[in-house]
């Protein structure tokens, strides 16, 4: 029986890989991958009137769906802030339980819109 530990350990040891061989293998891997298509440049800006029309149509469809489901939840678009407003009402009294964004937030948005000219720096 032979208990030659050094010879079996030498056979099991991995062979060192040269840096050049490792780099050429990575380069071949990169070349084998297909190139991703370049993103198309964005040239056209969305039409604000078309966006507004789409938003209003969406709110109408949501309101119709809420009526069919017997819910007191309405969607609307605030004209000045150009934001969607969700209103939850008490079914029995008609009282507004919750509004998102709140009335205060809408007033702040309206006032900020009015103050845009005051916030600009005249030095620039």
């Amino acid at each position: 029986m032979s208990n030659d530990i050094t010879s079996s350990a030498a056979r099991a040891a991995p062979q060192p890989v040269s840096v050049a061989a490792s780099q050429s293998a990575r380069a071949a891997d990169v070349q084998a991958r297909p190139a991703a298509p370049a993103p198309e440049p964005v040239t056209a800006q969305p039409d604000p009137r078309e966006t507004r029309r789409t938003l209003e149509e969406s709110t109408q469809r949501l309101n119709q769906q809420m009526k069919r489901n017997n819910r007191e939840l309405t969607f609307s678009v605030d004209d000045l802030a150009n934001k969607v407003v969700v209103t939850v009402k008490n079914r029995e009294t008609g009282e507004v339980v919750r509004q998102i964004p709140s009335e205060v937030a809408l007033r702040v948005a309206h006032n900020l819109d009015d103050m845009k000219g005051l916030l600009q720096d005249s030095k620039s």
Side-chain angles (χ1 to χ4, degrees):
M1 258 199 198
S2 170
N3 287 334
D4 188 9
I5 296 175
T6 58
S7 63
S8 65
R11 279 183 268 145
Q15 297 295 322
V17 178
S18 70
V19 174
S22 173
Q23 289 175 346
S24 66
R26 274 191 241 127
D29 185 42
V30 169
Q31 290 174 354
R33 292 185 203 152
E40 295 182 23
V42 178
T43 55
Q45 294 291 349
D47 182 22
R49 289 173 284 176
E50 179 67 24
T51 304
R52 177 66 182 217
R53 186 185 63 76
T54 304
L55 186 60
E56 288 175 354
E57 287 176 1
S58 298
T59 58
Q60 287 174 1
R61 279 187 262 134
L62 285 168
N63 287 332
Q64 290 170 357
Q65 182 68 31
M66 291 301 117
K67 283 182 183 178
R68 278 191 294 247
N69 292 334
N70 201 20
R71 305 275 186 232
E72 290 296 322
L73 185 66
T74 57
F75 297 85
S76 60
V77 180
D78 184 84
D79 292 327
L80 294 175
N82 202 26
K83 302 276 184 199
V84 175
V85 179
V86 180
T87 307
V88 181
K89 294 182 182 179
N90 183 330
R91 199 179 306 172
E92 295 171 4
T93 64
E95 176 188 3
V96 174
V97 176
R98 176 98 190 241
Q99 179 176 316
I100 304 169
S102 68
E103 192 64 39
V104 173
L106 287 174
R107 274 188 268 142
V108 168
H110 296 167
N111 290 335
L112 284 176
D113 194 41
D114 292 340
M115 297 180 63
K116 279 183 184 175
L118 298 175
L119 297 175
Q120 290 180 343
D121 187 10
S122 61
K123 294 180 184 179
S124 357

